[in-house]
Amino acid sequence: MLQQIKIVLCQTSHPGNIGAAARAMKTMGLQQLVLVNPRDYPSYEATARSSGATDILEDAKVVSTLEEAIGDCRLVIGTSSRNRALPWPMVEPREIKSIVQNEPSALPVAIVFGRESTGLLNEELQLCHYHVNIPANPDYMSLNLAAAVQVICYECRLLALELKNSLESATEELSVDDSERKATVEQTEGLYQHFESVMIETGFFDPEEPKLLPARLHRLFAKSQLTEAEVNILRGFLASMGKHIKYHTGKKDSGES
């Protein structure tokens, strides 16, 4: 199970934090590290701070966008130290266990960490199904990036040790009908883009004045955790709407009644 959990670091400023995060991962048995547009990598400092977890660094995938990092994941949990303007499902690290228990088809999983100084942007958090908050001392919440990774990786290891057999059994059963698997981020984002294009075409959505509509739709999809079959149904409906609009627009342009 641990091989199906990605640790994603977004725009890490200090290479030493990348190395320390790799060390935290290896001590807990996690292997997949994805770096989104790091400022300085590869780096001698990252290697030195990894304390021997060089295999994690050597296998780390470097990408330019968060969408690319999590596109194949079916469950995405973003770290956040505060409530945002638009409330999102917020959990503590130990609740990750129950989430995966209840949704065994939601693998692979990505856990996303933001920049050292500012964390994740609102647009990035909108790509996540849940936000996880480490309940640190409210009088001093300055948690180092690698320390935060260690806390989350520890909970993932406890989860894996407890659920190994049940998850393997559940995965075997769910593989019989792939359509009931949770949709990947890439599939869900494709659905959102399709929704947006139809909303623009019907005049329901003005991209020049988006307000909170995109964020609310992303939250709706995140809370729903759609399956692949459900995404296909909705996209089929949207495609049908598009054809209907074009047909009637064509009749109007040709003067037909």
Side-chain angles (χ1 to χ4, degrees), residues 7-12 17-18 21 33-36 113 145 149:
I7 297 298
V8 181
L9 307 183
C10 290
Q11 296 188 12
T12 310
N17 287 332
I18 297 175
L33 175 63
V34 184
L35 307 174
V36 180
F113 296 81
L145 173 60
V149 171

Side-chain angles (χ1 to χ4, degrees), residues 233-244:
I233 290 170
L234 289 171
R235 293 205 65 171
F237 170 67
L238 291 170
S240 177
M241 283 186 64
K243 290 178 182 178
H244 183 78

Side-chain angles (χ1 to χ4, degrees), residues 5 39 69 78-79 85 102 115 131-132 142-143 168 179 201 207 210:
I5 298 178
R39 180 176 295 178
T79 56
N102 293 333
R115 302 150 190 78
H131 297 171
V132 63
S142 180
L143 195 64
E168 287 175 352
S179 66
E201 196 170 2

Side-chain angles (χ1 to χ4, degrees), residues 214-255:
R216 291 187 185 280
L217 272 179
H218 275 102
R219 183 177 65 174
L220 173 63
F221 293 156
K223 290 167 67 176
S224 301
Q225 291 194 42
L226 299 165
T227 65
E228 291 183 358
E230 291 165 342
V231 167
N232 289 335
I233 290 170
L234 289 171
R235 293 205 65 171
F237 170 67
L238 291 170
S240 177
M241 283 186 64
K243 290 178 182 178
H244 183 78
I245 293 167
K246 288 179 181 177
Y247 173 74
H248 283 277
T249 301
K251 286 182 65 176
K252 184 177 179 180
D253 291 342
S254 64

Side-chain angles (χ1 to χ4, degrees), residues 182-202:
K182 295 300 178 185
T184 64
V185 170
E186 184 177 19
Q187 290 167 336
T188 305
E189 276 302 293
L191 172 62
Y192 170 77
Q193 295 298 332
H194 202 163
F195 246 103
E196 185 175 279
S197 66
V198 173
M199 289 191 300
I200 293 172
E201 196 170 2
T202 61

